[in-house]
Structure formats: C-alpha cells, structure tokens
Amino acid sequence: GQQLNQSPQSMFIQEGEDVSMNCTSSSIFNTWLWYKQDPGEGPVLLIALYKAGELTSNGRLTAQFGITRKDSFLNISASIPSDVGIYFCAGQVLNFGNEKLTFGTGTRLTIIP
Amino acid sequence: NAGVMQNPRHLVRRRGQEARLRCSPMKGHSHVYWYRQLPEEGLKFMVYLQKENIIDESGMPKERFSAEFPKEGPSILRIQQVVRGDSAAYFCASSPSSKNIQYFGAGTRLSVL
C-alpha cells in the first residue's frame, strides 16, 4: 500500500530548538493528521486539519494543510525532552468506504543533552 | 472513558500456530480499523469494520488473515498458520462514525518464532 513521504527521517536537536517536518503525497487527501508515537505505544493524535490552506495550532505545535492538498507540515517550537518520539503524518480521503488512514514513513526526533 | 483496549499486549507464537488479537473500541464507537506496523516503518491499513460488517478489507492479505466485529464483544483479528513475516505490531483504532478521528490502542506485538 501507499505510504506518504515524510522528511526528515530523523532529527537530532538540542532542547529549546524549533523543529520542522513535512509530508508529501502523490495523491490528494481531504484530511491531514499528525500523530506522535512513543516506544511501545500506539499513535496519539496531535493535530487534525480539514481544509486546504488551514493553519492550526495546539500549544507549541503548529501544522498546515497544503494548498494543493498533497502536503502538510508540522512545526514544534521550543522543544522539550517529552517531545522525543516518532512523528507520523496521515492522510485521509474520507469518501464512503475509503476512510482508511495512509501514514507517512515517520520522523524520529531525538533531543541531545 | 476508557480508551481503545487491545489484548494481549505481547503475543508469542510458533510458526504454524494461530494468533488471535482482540480490540475493544472506546465506548460509543462502532467503527474499528486494524493497522500493521513493521519495525522502523509507518502503520499500514489492513481492514475497516463497522458492527458485524466489513467495509474495507483492501489492506488485508487474501490468505490466513480474517477479521470480525460481532454485535457483542470485541473485534478480533485472526491470523492462521503464522509465519515469521507476520511478526509486527498490530494496532486497532476506533471512531464513533466514519467521519470522525480514529483513536488508537497501545497495540499487540506479535512475535513468531
């Protein structure tokens, strides 16, 4: 099955730095979602985007739904230790019978002491 | 309100045995989705069920894999005659309707010896 292209694959940053990651697709999605996954756990929803061009914030996180509906980005400002984990984008078409999430390949965030 | 409950969290099977993975959706959720995650990869959609009906099984292997979501009780993902390649983390998600956010369980990690 299709997987979305996510970059960068991994990031090593210092505490307090800002983080930016993005996700691209060859096909259009009607919804973009960003999840975070900690080791041994399931993905937890961070932000959901429903309209092309939409910019949404959740605390230190900001995400945008690309105008072409084929991409999205996630920014994290002033990173803290608990931001460590793997971040996944996911796209959804949301037509009847096509509600599945298509996930990106993930961005692994590591904070260097 | 309890989240999506999956059990067991870890399952070890020998080649040729059967694996049964259970998922209890969040209260009030009648839509269940199963995803598989191989190490260092994103989640990949397997099957979408709505009480007693399979809506989309486009990601499910044609042989050995089956899923059900009975009127009463949890959703079950069944893998017959497991092979080493079935070793992965299997995640269940639920939503109250097809247009709503999918919330994930903590997953079942299947190891095939």
mmCIF file with all atom_site columns, all heavy atoms in Angstrom, chain B residues 42-65:
data_model
loop_
_atom_site.group_PDB
_atom_site.id
_atom_site.type_symbol
_atom_site.label_atom_id
_atom_site.label_alt_id
_atom_site.label_comp_id
_atom_site.label_asym_id
_atom_site.label_entity_id
_atom_site.label_seq_id
_atom_site.pdbx_PDB_ins_code
_atom_site.Cartn_x
_atom_site.Cartn_y
_atom_site.Cartn_z
_atom_site.occupancy
_atom_site.B_iso_or_equiv
_atom_site.pdbx_formal_charge
_atom_site.auth_seq_id
_atom_site.auth_comp_id
_atom_site.auth_asym_id
_atom_site.auth_atom_id
_atom_site.pdbx_PDB_model_num
ATOM 1   N N   . GLY B 1 42 ? 5.999   3.093   9.051  1.00 0.00 ? 42 GLY B N   1
ATOM 2   C CA  . GLY B 1 42 ? 4.715   3.647   9.461  1.00 0.00 ? 42 GLY B CA  1
ATOM 3   C C   . GLY B 1 42 ? 3.651   2.565   9.504  1.00 0.00 ? 42 GLY B C   1
ATOM 4   O O   . GLY B 1 42 ? 3.873   1.431   9.104  1.00 0.00 ? 42 GLY B O   1
ATOM 5   N N   . LEU B 1 43 ? 2.481   2.937   10.000 1.00 0.00 ? 43 LEU B N   1
ATOM 6   C CA  . LEU B 1 43 ? 1.384   1.988   10.074 1.00 0.00 ? 43 LEU B CA  1
ATOM 7   C C   . LEU B 1 43 ? 0.760   1.804   8.683  1.00 0.00 ? 43 LEU B C   1
ATOM 8   O O   . LEU B 1 43 ? 0.648   2.765   7.918  1.00 0.00 ? 43 LEU B O   1
ATOM 9   C CB  . LEU B 1 43 ? 0.300   2.495   11.035 1.00 0.00 ? 43 LEU B CB  1
ATOM 10  C CG  . LEU B 1 43 ? 0.579   2.348   12.525 1.00 0.00 ? 43 LEU B CG  1
ATOM 11  C CD1 . LEU B 1 43 ? 1.634   3.318   13.004 1.00 0.00 ? 43 LEU B CD1 1
ATOM 12  C CD2 . LEU B 1 43 ? -0.710  2.539   13.318 1.00 0.00 ? 43 LEU B CD2 1
ATOM 13  N N   . LYS B 1 44 ? 0.335   0.574   8.409  1.00 0.00 ? 44 LYS B N   1
ATOM 14  C CA  . LYS B 1 44 ? -0.322  0.289   7.130  1.00 0.00 ? 44 LYS B CA  1
ATOM 15  C C   . LYS B 1 44 ? -1.701  -0.297  7.389  1.00 0.00 ? 44 LYS B C   1
ATOM 16  O O   . LYS B 1 44 ? -1.854  -1.243  8.168  1.00 0.00 ? 44 LYS B O   1
ATOM 17  C CB  . LYS B 1 44 ? 0.517   -0.667  6.288  1.00 0.00 ? 44 LYS B CB  1
ATOM 18  C CG  . LYS B 1 44 ? 1.789   -0.013  5.786  1.00 0.00 ? 44 LYS B CG  1
ATOM 19  C CD  . LYS B 1 44 ? 2.553   -0.882  4.802  1.00 0.00 ? 44 LYS B CD  1
ATOM 20  C CE  . LYS B 1 44 ? 3.792   -0.142  4.343  1.00 0.00 ? 44 LYS B CE  1
ATOM 21  N NZ  . LYS B 1 44 ? 4.689   -0.991  3.540  1.00 0.00 ? 44 LYS B NZ  1
ATOM 22  N N   . PHE B 1 45 ? -2.678  0.254   6.714  1.00 0.00 ? 45 PHE B N   1
ATOM 23  C CA  . PHE B 1 45 ? -4.071  -0.132  6.885  1.00 0.00 ? 45 PHE B CA  1
ATOM 24  C C   . PHE B 1 45 ? -4.296  -1.585  6.481  1.00 0.00 ? 45 PHE B C   1
ATOM 25  O O   . PHE B 1 45 ? -3.728  -2.064  5.482  1.00 0.00 ? 45 PHE B O   1
ATOM 26  C CB  . PHE B 1 45 ? -4.957  0.767   6.018  1.00 0.00 ? 45 PHE B CB  1
ATOM 27  C CG  . PHE B 1 45 ? -6.383  0.315   5.916  1.00 0.00 ? 45 PHE B CG  1
ATOM 28  C CD1 . PHE B 1 45 ? -7.286  0.532   6.950  1.00 0.00 ? 45 PHE B CD1 1
ATOM 29  C CD2 . PHE B 1 45 ? -6.829  -0.346  4.773  1.00 0.00 ? 45 PHE B CD2 1
ATOM 30  C CE1 . PHE B 1 45 ? -8.603  0.115   6.845  1.00 0.00 ? 45 PHE B CE1 1
ATOM 31  C CE2 . PHE B 1 45 ? -8.138  -0.764  4.658  1.00 0.00 ? 45 PHE B CE2 1
ATOM 32  C CZ  . PHE B 1 45 ? -9.025  -0.531  5.698  1.00 0.00 ? 45 PHE B CZ  1
ATOM 33  N N   . MET B 1 46 ? -5.111  -2.280  7.271  1.00 0.00 ? 46 MET B N   1
ATOM 34  C CA  . MET B 1 46 ? -5.462  -3.646  6.928  1.00 0.00 ? 46 MET B CA  1
ATOM 35  C C   . MET B 1 46 ? -6.953  -3.759  6.612  1.00 0.00 ? 46 MET B C   1
ATOM 36  O O   . MET B 1 46 ? -7.340  -4.158  5.521  1.00 0.00 ? 46 MET B O   1
ATOM 37  C CB  . MET B 1 46 ? -5.119  -4.602  8.069  1.00 0.00 ? 46 MET B CB  1
ATOM 38  C CG  . MET B 1 46 ? -3.636  -4.661  8.399  1.00 0.00 ? 46 MET B CG  1
ATOM 39  S SD  . MET B 1 46 ? -3.308  -5.800  9.732  1.00 0.00 ? 46 MET B SD  1
ATOM 40  C CE  . MET B 1 46 ? -3.506  -7.372  8.877  1.00 0.00 ? 46 MET B CE  1
ATOM 41  N N   . VAL B 1 47 ? -7.809  -3.387  7.600  1.00 0.00 ? 47 VAL B N   1
ATOM 42  C CA  . VAL B 1 47 ? -9.239  -3.640  7.425  1.00 0.00 ? 47 VAL B CA  1
ATOM 43  C C   . VAL B 1 47 ? -10.040 -2.645  8.263  1.00 0.00 ? 47 VAL B C   1
ATOM 44  O O   . VAL B 1 47 ? -9.579  -2.171  9.307  1.00 0.00 ? 47 VAL B O   1
ATOM 45  C CB  . VAL B 1 47 ? -9.571  -5.101  7.824  1.00 0.00 ? 47 VAL B CB  1
ATOM 46  C CG1 . VAL B 1 47 ? -9.263  -5.356  9.305  1.00 0.00 ? 47 VAL B CG1 1
ATOM 47  C CG2 . VAL B 1 47 ? -11.015 -5.467  7.533  1.00 0.00 ? 47 VAL B CG2 1
ATOM 48  N N   . TYR B 1 48 ? -11.244 -2.340  7.765  1.00 0.00 ? 48 TYR B N   1
ATOM 49  C CA  . TYR B 1 48 ? -12.169 -1.409  8.446  1.00 0.00 ? 48 TYR B CA  1
ATOM 50  C C   . TYR B 1 48 ? -13.498 -2.150  8.617  1.00 0.00 ? 48 TYR B C   1
ATOM 51  O O   . TYR B 1 48 ? -14.056 -2.671  7.647  1.00 0.00 ? 48 TYR B O   1
ATOM 52  C CB  . TYR B 1 48 ? -12.311 -0.149  7.600  1.00 0.00 ? 48 TYR B CB  1
ATOM 53  C CG  . TYR B 1 48 ? -13.494 0.745   7.890  1.00 0.00 ? 48 TYR B CG  1
ATOM 54  C CD1 . TYR B 1 48 ? -14.018 0.911   9.168  1.00 0.00 ? 48 TYR B CD1 1
ATOM 55  C CD2 . TYR B 1 48 ? -14.064 1.480   6.848  1.00 0.00 ? 48 TYR B CD2 1
ATOM 56  C CE1 . TYR B 1 48 ? -15.095 1.757   9.396  1.00 0.00 ? 48 TYR B CE1 1
ATOM 57  C CE2 . TYR B 1 48 ? -15.138 2.321   7.068  1.00 0.00 ? 48 TYR B CE2 1
ATOM 58  C CZ  . TYR B 1 48 ? -15.650 2.460   8.334  1.00 0.00 ? 48 TYR B CZ  1
ATOM 59  O OH  . TYR B 1 48 ? -16.720 3.303   8.560  1.00 0.00 ? 48 TYR B OH  1
ATOM 60  N N   . LEU B 1 49 ? -13.978 -2.174  9.856  1.00 0.00 ? 49 LEU B N   1
ATOM 61  C CA  . LEU B 1 49 ? -15.220 -2.873  10.157 1.00 0.00 ? 49 LEU B CA  1
ATOM 62  C C   . LEU B 1 49 ? -16.170 -1.935  10.886 1.00 0.00 ? 49 LEU B C   1
ATOM 63  O O   . LEU B 1 49 ? -15.762 -1.087  11.683 1.00 0.00 ? 49 LEU B O   1
ATOM 64  C CB  . LEU B 1 49 ? -14.961 -4.091  11.057 1.00 0.00 ? 49 LEU B CB  1
ATOM 65  C CG  . LEU B 1 49 ? -13.910 -5.075  10.619 1.00 0.00 ? 49 LEU B CG  1
ATOM 66  C CD1 . LEU B 1 49 ? -12.638 -4.920  11.440 1.00 0.00 ? 49 LEU B CD1 1
ATOM 67  C CD2 . LEU B 1 49 ? -14.404 -6.496  10.747 1.00 0.00 ? 49 LEU B CD2 1
ATOM 68  N N   . GLN B 1 50 ? -17.448 -2.122  10.602 1.00 0.00 ? 50 GLN B N   1
ATOM 69  C CA  . GLN B 1 50 ? -18.482 -1.466  11.364 1.00 0.00 ? 50 GLN B CA  1
ATOM 70  C C   . GLN B 1 50 ? -19.432 -2.560  11.813 1.00 0.00 ? 50 GLN B C   1
ATOM 71  O O   . GLN B 1 50 ? -19.920 -3.315  10.978 1.00 0.00 ? 50 GLN B O   1
ATOM 72  C CB  . GLN B 1 50 ? -19.214 -0.431  10.515 1.00 0.00 ? 50 GLN B CB  1
ATOM 73  C CG  . GLN B 1 50 ? -20.243 0.354   11.292 1.00 0.00 ? 50 GLN B CG  1
ATOM 74  C CD  . GLN B 1 50 ? -21.128 1.203   10.386 1.00 0.00 ? 50 GLN B CD  1
ATOM 75  O OE1 . GLN B 1 50 ? -20.929 1.234   9.178  1.00 0.00 ? 50 GLN B OE1 1
ATOM 76  N NE2 . GLN B 1 50 ? -22.101 1.866   10.965 1.00 0.00 ? 50 GLN B NE2 1
ATOM 77  N N   . LYS B 1 51 ? -19.749 -2.585  13.094 1.00 0.00 ? 51 LYS B N   1
ATOM 78  C CA  . LYS B 1 51 ? -20.512 -3.663  13.717 1.00 0.00 ? 51 LYS B CA  1
ATOM 79  C C   . LYS B 1 51 ? -21.073 -4.710  12.751 1.00 0.00 ? 51 LYS B C   1
ATOM 80  O O   . LYS B 1 51 ? -21.977 -4.432  11.972 1.00 0.00 ? 51 LYS B O   1
ATOM 81  C CB  . LYS B 1 51 ? -21.681 -3.101  14.513 1.00 0.00 ? 51 LYS B CB  1
ATOM 82  C CG  . LYS B 1 51 ? -21.299 -2.580  15.893 1.00 0.00 ? 51 LYS B CG  1
ATOM 83  C CD  . LYS B 1 51 ? -20.824 -3.687  16.806 1.00 0.00 ? 51 LYS B CD  1
ATOM 84  C CE  . LYS B 1 51 ? -20.499 -3.150  18.201 1.00 0.00 ? 51 LYS B CE  1
ATOM 85  N NZ  . LYS B 1 51 ? -19.986 -4.194  19.093 1.00 0.00 ? 51 LYS B NZ  1
ATOM 86  N N   . GLU B 1 52 ? -20.489 -5.881  12.789 1.00 0.00 ? 52 GLU B N   1
ATOM 87  C CA  . GLU B 1 52 ? -20.896 -7.063  12.019 1.00 0.00 ? 52 GLU B CA  1
ATOM 88  C C   . GLU B 1 52 ? -20.623 -6.943  10.522 1.00 0.00 ? 52 GLU B C   1
ATOM 89  O O   . GLU B 1 52 ? -20.921 -7.877  9.779  1.00 0.00 ? 52 GLU B O   1
ATOM 90  C CB  . GLU B 1 52 ? -22.382 -7.378  12.245 1.00 0.00 ? 52 GLU B CB  1
ATOM 91  C CG  . GLU B 1 52 ? -22.731 -7.680  13.697 1.00 0.00 ? 52 GLU B CG  1
ATOM 92  C CD  . GLU B 1 52 ? -24.172 -8.087  13.870 1.00 0.00 ? 52 GLU B CD  1
ATOM 93  O OE1 . GLU B 1 52 ? -25.028 -7.187  14.018 1.00 0.00 ? 52 GLU B OE1 1
ATOM 94  O OE2 . GLU B 1 52 ? -24.451 -9.305  13.850 1.00 0.00 ? 52 GLU B OE2 1
ATOM 95  N N   . ASN B 1 53 ? -20.110 -5.837  10.051 1.00 0.00 ? 53 ASN B N   1
ATOM 96  C CA  . ASN B 1 53 ? -19.849 -5.685  8.613  1.00 0.00 ? 53 ASN B CA  1
ATOM 97  C C   . ASN B 1 53 ? -18.405 -5.306  8.338  1.00 0.00 ? 53 ASN B C   1
ATOM 98  O O   . ASN B 1 53 ? -17.824 -4.493  9.056  1.00 0.00 ? 53 ASN B O   1
ATOM 99  C CB  . ASN B 1 53 ? -20.744 -4.586  8.020  1.00 0.00 ? 53 ASN B CB  1
ATOM 100 C CG  . ASN B 1 53 ? -22.209 -4.957  8.070  1.00 0.00 ? 53 ASN B CG  1
ATOM 101 O OD1 . ASN B 1 53 ? -22.593 -6.024  7.609  1.00 0.00 ? 53 ASN B OD1 1
ATOM 102 N ND2 . ASN B 1 53 ? -23.023 -4.088  8.636  1.00 0.00 ? 53 ASN B ND2 1
ATOM 103 N N   . ILE B 1 54 ? -17.842 -5.906  7.293  1.00 0.00 ? 54 ILE B N   1
ATOM 104 C CA  . ILE B 1 54 ? -16.537 -5.478  6.801  1.00 0.00 ? 54 ILE B CA  1
ATOM 105 C C   . ILE B 1 54 ? -16.776 -4.439  5.717  1.00 0.00 ? 54 ILE B C   1
ATOM 106 O O   . ILE B 1 54 ? -17.429 -4.718  4.705  1.00 0.00 ? 54 ILE B O   1
ATOM 107 C CB  . ILE B 1 54 ? -15.735 -6.666  6.245  1.00 0.00 ? 54 ILE B CB  1
ATOM 108 C CG1 . ILE B 1 54 ? -15.416 -7.650  7.372  1.00 0.00 ? 54 ILE B CG1 1
ATOM 109 C CG2 . ILE B 1 54 ? -14.452 -6.187  5.579  1.00 0.00 ? 54 ILE B CG2 1
ATOM 110 C CD1 . ILE B 1 54 ? -14.714 -8.912  6.903  1.00 0.00 ? 54 ILE B CD1 1
ATOM 111 N N   . ILE B 1 55 ? -16.254 -3.217  5.940  1.00 0.00 ? 55 ILE B N   1
ATOM 112 C CA  . ILE B 1 55 ? -16.478 -2.119  4.995  1.00 0.00 ? 55 ILE B CA  1
ATOM 113 C C   . ILE B 1 55 ? -15.361 -2.061  3.959  1.00 0.00 ? 55 ILE B C   1
ATOM 114 O O   . ILE B 1 55 ? -15.603 -1.825  2.778  1.00 0.00 ? 55 ILE B O   1
ATOM 115 C CB  . ILE B 1 55 ? -16.572 -0.764  5.722  1.00 0.00 ? 55 ILE B CB  1
ATOM 116 C CG1 . ILE B 1 55 ? -17.618 -0.810  6.846  1.00 0.00 ? 55 ILE B CG1 1
ATOM 117 C CG2 . ILE B 1 55 ? -16.873 0.355   4.740  1.00 0.00 ? 55 ILE B CG2 1
ATOM 118 C CD1 . ILE B 1 55 ? -19.013 -1.115  6.381  1.00 0.00 ? 55 ILE B CD1 1
ATOM 119 N N   . ASP B 1 56 ? -14.123 -2.242  4.411  1.00 0.00 ? 56 ASP B N   1
ATOM 120 C CA  . ASP B 1 56 ? -12.971 -2.123  3.505  1.00 0.00 ? 56 ASP B CA  1
ATOM 121 C C   . ASP B 1 56 ? -11.904 -3.092  4.000  1.00 0.00 ? 56 ASP B C   1
ATOM 122 O O   . ASP B 1 56 ? -11.441 -2.955  5.130  1.00 0.00 ? 56 ASP B O   1
ATOM 123 C CB  . ASP B 1 56 ? -12.446 -0.673  3.517  1.00 0.00 ? 56 ASP B CB  1
ATOM 124 C CG  . ASP B 1 56 ? -11.229 -0.460  2.618  1.00 0.00 ? 56 ASP B CG  1
ATOM 125 O OD1 . ASP B 1 56 ? -10.771 -1.407  1.958  1.00 0.00 ? 56 ASP B OD1 1
ATOM 126 O OD2 . ASP B 1 56 ? -10.729 0.684   2.590  1.00 0.00 ? 56 ASP B OD2 1
ATOM 127 N N   . GLU B 1 57 ? -11.571 -4.071  3.187  1.00 0.00 ? 57 GLU B N   1
ATOM 128 C CA  . GLU B 1 57 ? -10.511 -5.013  3.567  1.00 0.00 ? 57 GLU B CA  1
ATOM 129 C C   . GLU B 1 57 ? -9.393  -4.990  2.536  1.00 0.00 ? 57 GLU B C   1
ATOM 130 O O   . GLU B 1 57 ? -8.696  -5.978  2.324  1.00 0.00 ? 57 GLU B O   1
ATOM 131 C CB  . GLU B 1 57 ? -11.066 -6.423  3.747  1.00 0.00 ? 57 GLU B CB  1
ATOM 132 C CG  . GLU B 1 57 ? -11.822 -6.962  2.544  1.00 0.00 ? 57 GLU B CG  1
ATOM 133 C CD  . GLU B 1 57 ? -12.401 -8.351  2.784  1.00 0.00 ? 57 GLU B CD  1
ATOM 134 O OE1 . GLU B 1 57 ? -12.012 -9.019  3.775  1.00 0.00 ? 57 GLU B OE1 1
ATOM 135 O OE2 . GLU B 1 57 ? -13.255 -8.772  1.979  1.00 0.00 ? 57 GLU B OE2 1
ATOM 136 N N   . SER B 1 58 ? -9.214  -3.840  1.906  1.00 0.00 ? 58 SER B N   1
ATOM 137 C CA  . SER B 1 58 ? -8.259  -3.718  0.813  1.00 0.00 ? 58 SER B CA  1
ATOM 138 C C   . SER B 1 58 ? -6.813  -3.930  1.251  1.00 0.00 ? 58 SER B C   1
ATOM 139 O O   . SER B 1 58 ? -5.961  -4.250  0.431  1.00 0.00 ? 58 SER B O   1
ATOM 140 C CB  . SER B 1 58 ? -8.403  -2.353  0.129  1.00 0.00 ? 58 SER B CB  1
ATOM 141 O OG  . SER B 1 58 ? -8.202  -1.313  1.060  1.00 0.00 ? 58 SER B OG  1
ATOM 142 N N   . GLY B 1 59 ? -6.519  -3.770  2.540  1.00 0.00 ? 59 GLY B N   1
ATOM 143 C CA  . GLY B 1 59 ? -5.148  -3.944  3.016  1.00 0.00 ? 59 GLY B CA  1
ATOM 144 C C   . GLY B 1 59 ? -4.892  -5.286  3.668  1.00 0.00 ? 59 GLY B C   1
ATOM 145 O O   . GLY B 1 59 ? -3.794  -5.548  4.164  1.00 0.00 ? 59 GLY B O   1
ATOM 146 N N   . MET B 1 60 ? -5.871  -6.133  3.642  1.00 0.00 ? 60 MET B N   1
ATOM 147 C CA  . MET B 1 60 ? -5.766  -7.424  4.324  1.00 0.00 ? 60 MET B CA  1
ATOM 148 C C   . MET B 1 60 ? -5.203  -8.464  3.357  1.00 0.00 ? 60 MET B C   1
ATOM 149 O O   . MET B 1 60 ? -5.704  -8.608  2.239  1.00 0.00 ? 60 MET B O   1
ATOM 150 C CB  . MET B 1 60 ? -7.165  -7.868  4.761  1.00 0.00 ? 60 MET B CB  1
ATOM 151 C CG  . MET B 1 60 ? -7.128  -9.052  5.673  1.00 0.00 ? 60 MET B CG  1
ATOM 152 S SD  . MET B 1 60 ? -7.024  -8.519  7.342  1.00 0.00 ? 60 MET B SD  1
ATOM 153 C CE  . MET B 1 60 ? -8.676  -8.886  7.814  1.00 0.00 ? 60 MET B CE  1
ATOM 154 N N   . PRO B 1 61 ? -4.172  -9.218  3.766  1.00 0.00 ? 61 PRO B N   1
ATOM 155 C CA  . PRO B 1 61 ? -3.710  -10.320 2.916  1.00 0.00 ? 61 PRO B CA  1
ATOM 156 C C   . PRO B 1 61 ? -4.867  -11.278 2.638  1.00 0.00 ? 61 PRO B C   1
ATOM 157 O O   . PRO B 1 61 ? -5.729  -11.496 3.481  1.00 0.00 ? 61 PRO B O   1
ATOM 158 C CB  . PRO B 1 61 ? -2.633  -10.989 3.776  1.00 0.00 ? 61 PRO B CB  1
ATOM 159 C CG  . PRO B 1 61 ? -2.155  -9.917  4.689  1.00 0.00 ? 61 PRO B CG  1
ATOM 160 C CD  . PRO B 1 61 ? -3.363  -9.073  4.985  1.00 0.00 ? 61 PRO B CD  1
ATOM 161 N N   . LYS B 1 62 ? -4.863  -11.840 1.428  1.00 0.00 ? 62 LYS B N   1
ATOM 162 C CA  . LYS B 1 62 ? -6.011  -12.654 0.997  1.00 0.00 ? 62 LYS B CA  1
ATOM 163 C C   . LYS B 1 62 ? -6.081  -13.980 1.736  1.00 0.00 ? 62 LYS B C   1
ATOM 164 O O   . LYS B 1 62 ? -7.165  -14.556 1.901  1.00 0.00 ? 62 LYS B O   1
ATOM 165 C CB  . LYS B 1 62 ? -5.923  -12.926 -0.509 1.00 0.00 ? 62 LYS B CB  1
ATOM 166 C CG  . LYS B 1 62 ? -6.091  -11.686 -1.373 1.00 0.00 ? 62 LYS B CG  1
ATOM 167 C CD  . LYS B 1 62 ? -7.522  -11.244 -1.426 1.00 0.00 ? 62 LYS B CD  1
ATOM 168 C CE  . LYS B 1 62 ? -7.755  -10.063 -2.332 1.00 0.00 ? 62 LYS B CE  1
ATOM 169 N NZ  . LYS B 1 62 ? -7.479  -8.782  -1.711 1.00 0.00 ? 62 LYS B NZ  1
ATOM 170 N N   . GLU B 1 63 ? -4.952  -14.476 2.175  1.00 0.00 ? 63 GLU B N   1
ATOM 171 C CA  . GLU B 1 63 ? -4.928  -15.782 2.836  1.00 0.00 ? 63 GLU B CA  1
ATOM 172 C C   . GLU B 1 63 ? -4.494  -15.624 4.281  1.00 0.00 ? 63 GLU B C   1
ATOM 173 O O   . GLU B 1 63 ? -3.731  -14.722 4.628  1.00 0.00 ? 63 GLU B O   1
ATOM 174 C CB  . GLU B 1 63 ? -3.972  -16.732 2.097  1.00 0.00 ? 63 GLU B CB  1
ATOM 175 C CG  . GLU B 1 63 ? -4.434  -17.037 0.674  1.00 0.00 ? 63 GLU B CG  1
ATOM 176 C CD  . GLU B 1 63 ? -3.450  -17.931 -0.068 1.00 0.00 ? 63 GLU B CD  1
ATOM 177 O OE1 . GLU B 1 63 ? -2.370  -18.203 0.475  1.00 0.00 ? 63 GLU B OE1 1
ATOM 178 O OE2 . GLU B 1 63 ? -3.786  -18.333 -1.198 1.00 0.00 ? 63 GLU B OE2 1
ATOM 179 N N   . ARG B 1 64 ? -5.001  -16.478 5.123  1.00 0.00 ? 64 ARG B N   1
ATOM 180 C CA  . ARG B 1 64 ? -4.620  -16.646 6.525  1.00 0.00 ? 64 ARG B CA  1
ATOM 181 C C   . ARG B 1 64 ? -5.118  -15.549 7.451  1.00 0.00 ? 64 ARG B C   1
ATOM 182 O O   . ARG B 1 64 ? -5.164  -15.764 8.652  1.00 0.00 ? 64 ARG B O   1
ATOM 183 C CB  . ARG B 1 64 ? -3.095  -16.795 6.685  1.00 0.00 ? 64 ARG B CB  1
ATOM 184 C CG  . ARG B 1 64 ? -2.468  -17.924 5.879  1.00 0.00 ? 64 ARG B CG  1
ATOM 185 C CD  . ARG B 1 64 ? -1.002  -18.118 6.259  1.00 0.00 ? 64 ARG B CD  1
ATOM 186 N NE  . ARG B 1 64 ? -0.203  -16.931 5.934  1.00 0.00 ? 64 ARG B NE  1
ATOM 187 C CZ  . ARG B 1 64 ? 0.297   -16.097 6.835  1.00 0.00 ? 64 ARG B CZ  1
ATOM 188 N NH1 . ARG B 1 64 ? 0.086   -16.294 8.120  1.00 0.00 ? 64 ARG B NH1 1
ATOM 189 N NH2 . ARG B 1 64 ? 1.035   -15.067 6.447  1.00 0.00 ? 64 ARG B NH2 1
ATOM 190 N N   . PHE B 1 65 ? -5.500  -14.402 6.929  1.00 0.00 ? 65 PHE B N   1
ATOM 191 C CA  . PHE B 1 65 ? -5.928  -13.285 7.785  1.00 0.00 ? 65 PHE B CA  1
ATOM 192 C C   . PHE B 1 65 ? -7.444  -13.129 7.681  1.00 0.00 ? 65 PHE B C   1
ATOM 193 O O   . PHE B 1 65 ? -8.010  -13.180 6.582  1.00 0.00 ? 65 PHE B O   1
ATOM 194 C CB  . PHE B 1 65 ? -5.271  -11.972 7.349  1.00 0.00 ? 65 PHE B CB  1
ATOM 195 C CG  . PHE B 1 65 ? -3.833  -11.846 7.742  1.00 0.00 ? 65 PHE B CG  1
ATOM 196 C CD1 . PHE B 1 65 ? -2.857  -12.578 7.086  1.00 0.00 ? 65 PHE B CD1 1
ATOM 197 C CD2 . PHE B 1 65 ? -3.454  -10.976 8.756  1.00 0.00 ? 65 PHE B CD2 1
ATOM 198 C CE1 . PHE B 1 65 ? -1.520  -12.467 7.445  1.00 0.00 ? 65 PHE B CE1 1
ATOM 199 C CE2 . PHE B 1 65 ? -2.117  -10.851 9.115  1.00 0.00 ? 65 PHE B CE2 1
ATOM 200 C CZ  . PHE B 1 65 ? -1.156  -11.592 8.455  1.00 0.00 ? 65 PHE B CZ  1
#
